[in-house]
Amino acid sequence: MKISMFIAYAVVGVLLALTLAASATFTLQRNDQIVANMQKVRVPDSWLPRLATLKAAGAIGLVAGLWVTPLGVAAAVGVTLYFIGAVIAHLRAKDYELAPAAVLTLVAAAALALRILA
């Protein structure tokens, strides 16, 4: 049972890490779509490098969590909280196009549960 949970975490964690790494890269490059979405939810432009750094750190932590369980758990908690914050930001701005943030919240929570159970 534990090995299947670990494999599930590895798959979910690595795919989430790849998504976070891509998002961090696009954020740092100030991709037009990313910037437009951030402006829509009233995120100050000055926050973009910090948010990109958080995503990159989450990606690194999820992958490192394959070898260091507490790091994987901490990264999954952080990523889950990050995307809960994103959902809240969308709701506060009355922007109901929040499916990507909501899905990533659920995927991060799944990674957390799988890492704890592995």
Side-chain angles (χ1 to χ4, degrees):
M1 170 87 159
K2 278 209 176 242
I3 191 72
S4 61
M5 290 295 178
F6 178 79
I7 292 169
Y9 169 74
V11 170
V12 172
V14 168
L15 290 175
L16 181 56
L18 289 171
T19 302
L20 290 167
S23 181
T25 300
F26 290 139
T27 303
L28 284 173
Q29 293 173 342
R30 299 197 186 272
N31 173 276
D32 292 340
Q33 187 176 356
I34 298 281
V35 171
N37 284 333
M38 294 291 193
Q39 288 174 343
K40 198 177 354 176
V41 296
R42 297 190 284 274
V43 171
D45 195 51
S46 63
W47 287 19
L48 294 182
R50 288 178 224 145
L51 295 176
T53 301
L54 290 172
K55 291 183 223 179
I60 292 166
L62 289 168
V63 173
L66 292 168
W67 294 276
V68 183
T69 301
L71 189 54
V73 170
V77 167
V79 173
T80 302
L81 292 173
Y82 178 95
F83 284 109
I84 288 172
V87 168
I88 291 168
H90 280 273
L91 293 173
R92 288 182 63 174
K94 297 189 184 349
D95 174 29
Y96 301 109
E97 294 178 28
L98 52 87
V103 168
L104 288 170
T105 302
L106 295 174
V107 172
L112 173 60
L114 289 167
R115 192 62 193 117
I116 289 170
L117 295 172

